[in-house]
Each structure stands twice: as C-alpha cells, then as structure tokens.
C-alpha cells in the first residue's frame, strides 16, 4: 500500500471539514444580520453572501493539493510517511484558516448588516485569513 495516497486524501478531507465549519459560523451570522434587517424593515444586503461563502475556497485548495500529492506519491511510493505529514500539516493549516475566516466573516456580516458600511475593510481581513491557506498550499506544492 502506498501511504502517500492516504496523505493526499487527508489534505482534502481536513481542509473540507474546516471549510464546512467556517461556512457554518459565517452563515449563521449572515442569516442573523439579514433577520435584523428584515425586523427593521431594511433591505437585506446580498453582499453578505461573500462573507458566508469565503471559507469554501479552502476545499478547492485542498483538492488542488490532493492532486499534486497523488502524482508525487505515485512517483515516490517510498516517501509515504512524508506525504502523510504533508497532508496532515497542510490540511490542518487550511482547515484552521477556513475556521478563522468564518469567524472573521461572521463579525463582518454582523457589522455590515447593521451599519451598511465598511465592506472593503471587512473583506480585506477575510482575505488575510485566506492567505494562510494559500501559503500552506503553495509551499507544500513547492516541497513536493
């Protein structure tokens, strides 16, 4: 058995779990912000979907890295444990990035829904949280 394939699967699965949690956090806050808008007879801003959906990208990064790891593991089956380590480390980095991004997105959705102001500032912080996942993916790909 090539344990490197396990590492490739782990990176995708762990990143996806983080995305799901992050979307859950930001999605709940987005719905709450919309509820407040409806209760105040204000229009519910659809741009809040950007905050709720942002953590989904970590699943894509996990998928991209999974493909690269499958290729590397097939070419180097003797490095299986190394790829398990890469999968765990990168997967958790992406997962925690998505979770934090969801929490930041939750605060942003609440603030934007209440004030109607600050979208550019809020989305920039969401983007900073995203950068951790991008670094994890790219630096792992370079290491392969």
């Amino acid at each position: 058995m090539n344990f490197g394939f396990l590492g490739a699967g782990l990176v995708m699965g762990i990143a996806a779990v983080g995305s799901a949690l992050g979307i859950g956090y930001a999605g709940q806050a987005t719905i709450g912000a919309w509820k407040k808008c409806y209760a105040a007879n204000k229009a519910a801003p659809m741009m809040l979907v950007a905050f709720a959906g942002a953590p989904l990208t970590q699943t894509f990064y996990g998928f991209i890295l999974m493909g690269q790891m499958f290729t590397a593991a097939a070419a180097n089956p003797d490095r299986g444990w190394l790829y398990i380590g890469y999968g765990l480390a990168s997967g958790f980095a992406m997962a925690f990035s998505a979770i934090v991004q969801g929490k930041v997105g939750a605060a942003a959705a609440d603030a934007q829904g209440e004030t109607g102001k600050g979208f550019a500032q809020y989305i920039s912080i969401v983007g900073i949280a995203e950068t951790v996942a991008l670094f994890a993916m790219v630096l792992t790909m370079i290491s392969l």
Side-chain angles (χ1 to χ4, degrees), residues 38-140:
Y38 291 137
N41 287 322
K42 292 179 11 184
M46 285 304 295
M47 68 175 51
L48 300 185
V49 172
F51 300 129
L56 180 61
T57 56
Q58 281 81 342
T59 298
F60 291 116
Y61 302 150
F63 179 73
I64 291 166
L65 186 53
M66 179 183 71
Q68 295 291 313
M69 287 180 67
F70 270 129
T71 302
N76 302 293
D78 56 321
R79 295 183 180 173
W81 289 106
L82 175 66
Y83 297 134
I84 288 175
Y86 282 162
L88 288 171
S90 299
F92 280 119
M94 291 180 206
F96 285 119
S97 169
I99 291 166
V100 169
Q101 190 176 48
K103 290 182 176 189
V104 169
D110 181 55
Q112 179 74 32
E114 189 171 327
T115 66
K117 297 176 183 175
F119 181 80
Q121 290 87 353
Y122 306 145
I123 202 72
S124 68
I125 303 303
V126 170
I128 291 169
E130 178 95 12
T131 304
V132 173
L134 282 167
F135 283 160
M137 178 187 72
V138 170
L139 295 175
T140 302

